[in-house]
Amino acid sequence: MKTLASLTAILVLATAGAASAQEARIAFGDLNLATSTGAAAFDQRVDSAARGLCRGARRPGSNISDRTVCEAAVRREAVRQLPAALQVDYAASRGAVAY
């Protein structure tokens, strides 16, 4: 089964100040990212991983939650780690416009 490489690097940046980095693996080999159904299933998997990874994200030196920023960073990194052809399929199925 194909899975994305770990998201450790982005989490170190997104949760700066956290005691330790975490990682997640997100399966995508069973999905057709060129379809809206496949892209939506991928989004659900990424969102689930992001919620878990960013649960305790805080702004450095603060008790203010940084969860939204962390989750957005995880989503961007998950798409970035897809093979190039699948990034194109995913973007097309999501209606993204490239400039």
Side-chain angles (χ1 to χ4, degrees):
M1 180 183 307
K2 296 179 184 178
T3 58
L4 294 176
S6 72
L7 301 175
T8 302
I10 192 66
L11 291 175
V12 170
L13 297 173
T15 61
S20 63
Q22 297 176 331
E23 66 179 62
R25 296 204 177 267
I26 302 165
F28 65 90
D30 60 328
L31 302 174
N32 180 353
L33 298 181
T35 67
S36 59
T37 302
F42 178 73
D43 288 342
Q44 287 177 334
R45 293 175 187 183
V46 171
D47 288 347
S48 177
R51 281 190 304 274
L53 292 168
C54 298
R55 183 171 291 124
R58 301 273 181 235
R59 291 185 186 172
S62 172
N63 284 331
I64 297 173
S65 174
D66 216 4
R67 187 174 183 162
T68 303
V69 172
C70 177
E71 288 176 354
V74 170
R75 288 183 196 100
R76 283 190 305 274
E77 182 65 7
V79 173
R80 188 194 68 76
Q81 288 189 29
L82 287 170
L86 292 180
Q87 287 181 29
V88 172
D89 288 346
Y90 175 79
S93 69
R94 288 305 199 203
V97 178
Y99 293 97

